[in-house]
Amino acid sequence: MEKNLYMLLEGMYPSLHRVEKKIAGYVLAHAEAVAGMSVQQLARELGVAESSIVRFSKSVGCTGFAAFKLMLVKYAPSATRTIFEELTPGDDAATVTKKVFSRNIDTLERALGLLDFDRIGQAVDWMDAAERILFFGLGASASIAEDFYIRLMRIGMNAQAVTDAHLSQIAAGMLDSRAVAVGITHTGRTLEVVHALATAREQGARTIAITGIPKTPVERTADLCLELYSPEQLFISPRVAQVSLIDSLYVGLALRRKASALSYVGRMDTSLEDFRLK
């Protein structure tokens, strides 16, 4: 599936090596100029080897630098600014709220453009076949792991969220080939989550990672990696894209077992009826 090159570079940037960051940073800042350069001109401008630029072009899925430039032109974005450049301290609540909603909508649209739907289908297949599903997440990702667990519990699936560093290792060590372990880490570098997935994999469990940055340690540890476009922006959380992805996985699983899922949801509503104020 062809991906938006600009969103791909933004997502990859934190995990790139020094020369790769130099190339990516220059491309993102001077895309129009790069589209008109030869590989020799760009190499001279950056002080890097021509072969480094060709390798970088191939690393993002292009056949070479010429194809890389075509992708730059095809997906040329309008100028983007941080949310603080678009707002002032004197803006009223309506203006701020509309701008935040707009940014979240933009994040969702960009995330949708980068998602690999074949991988999402594979993740649904694995979880649907699993006898047990464990979700690992720490810090801000802990609430996402808990949210995912609650969704699956509502439709009768044997799921659990583990959000403690030590318990993650213990729980992962008790899995087997009938289980699926899902690690959630926006940076892809949360040590405890990476270790938990590695341990689960050693025990024979299938492992799935959900992350916001490509080419990170968690991707190397997982059997299947679901990458989201969710750039680091001050005060703008990547959670909106994460929740939309787990909703998609949840609905996919519920559709596989529609009759039983509706039955479990009905039983849950009945169980909670006495706890709801009239």
Side-chain angles (χ1 to χ4, degrees):
M1 181 180 68
E2 186 175 278
K3 297 182 178 181
N4 184 309
L5 184 58
Y6 295 87
M7 291 188 282
L8 187 61
L9 292 178
E10 288 175 355
M12 292 173 60
Y13 189 83
S15 63
L16 296 176
H17 299 301
R18 182 180 60 83
V19 172
E20 293 173 326
K21 278 189 174 179
K22 191 173 187 179
I23 297 170
Y26 189 86
V27 169
L28 288 170
H30 307 92
E32 187 175 349
V34 172
M37 289 182 175
S38 66
V39 66
Q40 294 84 3
Q41 289 172 320
L42 183 58
R44 284 196 301 272
E45 180 68 28
L46 295 177
V48 301
E50 294 174 21
S51 58
S52 295
I53 294 172
V54 174
R55 278 196 304 271
F56 181 77
S57 300
K58 292 181 177 180
S59 74
V60 295
C62 299
T63 56
F65 185 59
F68 182 88
K69 291 192 295 180
L70 288 175
M71 294 292 282
L72 281 179
V73 173
K74 180 176 181 178
Y75 289 105
S78 56
T80 58
R81 300 185 297 168
T82 69
I83 197 164
F84 287 106
E85 291 177 294
E86 298 176 345
L87 293 169
T88 68
D91 286 331
D92 61 18
T95 301
V96 173
T97 302
K98 289 176 181 178
K99 182 53 64 178
V100 171
F101 268 65
S102 177
R103 277 304 178 97
N104 282 338
I105 291 168
D106 179 67
T107 295
L108 286 174
E109 289 176 342
R110 289 170 177 259
L112 188 62
L114 276 181
L115 283 173
D116 187 321
F117 300 114
D118 290 336
R119 291 187 184 184
I120 292 174
Q122 184 73 75
V124 171
D125 288 342
W126 286 3
M127 287 190 284
D128 185 48
E131 292 186 12
R132 187 183 180 200
I133 303 170
L134 248 65
F135 299 105
F136 300 109
L138 274 75
S141 295
S143 62
I144 301 296
E146 292 277 4
D147 206 4
F148 210 161
Y149 148 65
I150 291 170
R151 279 164 164 71
L152 297 196
M153 179 265 291
R154 292 175 73 240
I155 59 173
M157 297 187 71
N158 183 11
Q160 178 186 0
V162 186
T163 58
D164 176 86
H166 290 173
L167 291 179
S168 293
Q169 305 309 310
I170 295 170
M174 294 181 175
L175 297 178
D176 57 30
S177 60
R178 297 168 295 178
V180 167
V182 182
I184 303 169
T185 162
H186 172 65
T187 64
R189 299 177 181 278
T190 306
L191 179 66
E192 295 86 351
V193 173
V194 172
H195 280 187
L197 285 187
T199 299
R201 197 177 190 181
E202 289 171 1
Q203 301 304 311
R206 285 170 164 167
T207 55
I208 301 171
I210 297 176
T211 183
I213 300 174
K215 297 187 176 181
T216 52
V218 78
E219 181 180 2
R220 296 190 289 272
T221 305
D223 297 312
L224 185 67
C225 189
L226 304 180
E227 298 162 2
L228 280 165
Y229 173 84
S230 46
E232 295 286 355
Q233 296 186 63
L234 190 61
F235 298 137
I236 301 296
S237 171
R239 182 180 174 88
V240 63
Q242 294 169 335
V243 171
S244 296
L245 176 58
I246 69 171
D247 274 343
S248 300
L249 294 168
Y250 164 63
V251 171
L253 287 164
L255 287 172
R256 298 281 182 93
R257 48 187 75 204
K258 185 175 180 179
S260 64
L262 290 173
S263 175
Y264 276 112
V265 170
R267 288 163 61 182
M268 179 198 69
D269 287 340
T270 301
S271 298
L272 294 175
E273 187 62 35
D274 291 340
F275 296 90
R276 292 177 174 139
L277 296 174
K278 306 300 183 183

